[in-house]
Amino acid sequence: MTPELRAKLLAGLKDGSIVPYLGPGVLADVKNVATGAPIPADSDSLIYAMNDGKPMAPKLMYEFPRAAMNVELKRGRTTVTKFLTRVYGETQWTRAAVHDWLKAISPHYVIDINRDTQLQDSYADLPHNLIVGIARIGGTDFRYKLYFWDGAAYRKTEVINPALPILFKPMGTPKPEAVYIASDADYVDFITELMGGFSIPPEIKELRKGKQYLLLGMRLNRDTERMVMADMIYSAAEPAGWVFISEPTEKERRYCRKIGLEIIDADIFEFIGAAQPA
């Protein structure tokens, strides 16, 4: 990465023209405070954690949503919800270097496809908007819930205040309510409505026009995450942005060329000036 590109990315994150898009890799240095075990964030680690540390059948190991669907069919949707809440809402974790770095910048708009609360914790001192993705919930045409953080608690709201920071957690979070997009059925419903325009608030559809994106901690070799991302960054500028991928595959290169993302073959921890996780 050139010094010029680094300066451009940092300036864009600060002025809001570049939107950070956070994937599992931003949690690579996070450990369980009590045991020192790494946080389950990527697909494989989530499957192992959900299955008591053991692998599942090869066809289920392909992707966490497929494994979660299997668990849901056998033991019910609440089993998956309780697992994710136990991991992300009831376990104490160390802070991620990326989140401390982001907190210092405090971007106006952040998309975080992880289900942990560290992004919300980073903005706890600031009133902000929170958008949480939902799926397979009756009584509404929309696939999101809106909350306003007043500095002490979240409360439901019907509108977004564009003057305040906006945190978008499309795959869910344990707080203020434990709601997640996890299984294949969840993703099918959410992505279907995402493509139809019902998974993104109208204020965000307006805000995102002409933005560029910096994908951090994301691999682009899974169709599910690619489909979500492609619709989340719809109406982006040209080029759409950048993605940190060390040693990208040819599949990832082709996809990035197609969607207008420039690959930065480098490590995000080097970019933020933090030590790489062990």
Side-chain angles (χ1 to χ4, degrees), residues 21-214:
Y21 191 113
L22 310 181
V26 303
L27 302 177
D29 59 338
V30 176
K31 309 289 185 186
N32 185 308
V33 170
T35 68
I39 189 171
D42 64 10
S43 181
D44 283 355
S45 63
L46 274 168
I47 294 171
Y48 277 100
M50 185 172 59
N51 200 42
D52 299 322
K54 297 173 292 190
M56 298 179 74
K59 66 178 181 179
L60 301 178
M61 290 298 299
Y62 174 74
E63 199 171 21
F64 173 68
R66 187 180 295 182
M69 189 77 243
N70 179 266
V71 171
E72 178 180 315
L73 291 171
K74 289 182 176 178
R75 290 184 277 162
R77 191 179 186 187
T78 56
T79 302
V80 179
T81 297
K82 287 178 180 178
F83 158 68
L84 292 170
T85 300
R86 185 170 67 251
V87 171
Y88 297 123
E90 299 170 1
T91 304
Q92 189 175 1
W93 303 99
T94 62
R95 281 284 292 175
V98 172
H99 279 295
D100 281 341
W101 170 77
L102 267 181
K103 181 178 181 179
I105 299 173
S106 294
H108 181 72
Y109 175 39
V110 185
I111 301 170
D112 180 12
I113 67 166
N114 298 306
R115 301 175 183 89
D116 68 300
T117 63
Q118 294 213 20
L119 178 65
Q120 293 165 259
D121 297 340
S122 294
Y123 283 77
D125 295 335
L126 300 172
H128 61 260
N129 305 276
L130 174 67
I131 310 167
V132 181
I134 60 175
R136 299 155 67 197
I137 292 179
T140 176
D141 290 332
F142 302 104
R143 292 299 179 264
Y144 57 82
K145 291 186 176 185
L146 302 179
Y147 302 93
F148 170 70
W149 174 259
D150 60 11
Y154 281 109
R155 58 178 173 82
K156 288 185 178 179
T157 182
E158 298 297 320
V159 295
I160 291 172
N161 182 343
L164 298 177
I166 300 168
L167 313 182
F168 200 156
K169 299 276 292 181
M171 303 299 98
T173 173
K175 69 176 188 182
E177 301 175 77
V179 180
Y180 309 100
I181 309 293
S183 69
D184 275 342
D186 290 335
Y187 275 96
V188 167
D189 179 64
F190 183 78
I191 291 172
T192 298
E193 300 303 333
L194 183 60
M195 295 170 70
F198 293 100
S199 296
I200 295 180
E203 297 92 338
I204 300 302
K205 292 178 184 176
E206 189 63 31
L207 171 72
R208 67 183 180 177
K209 290 179 180 178
K211 298 288 187 186
Q212 291 182 296
Y213 296 82
L214 181 62

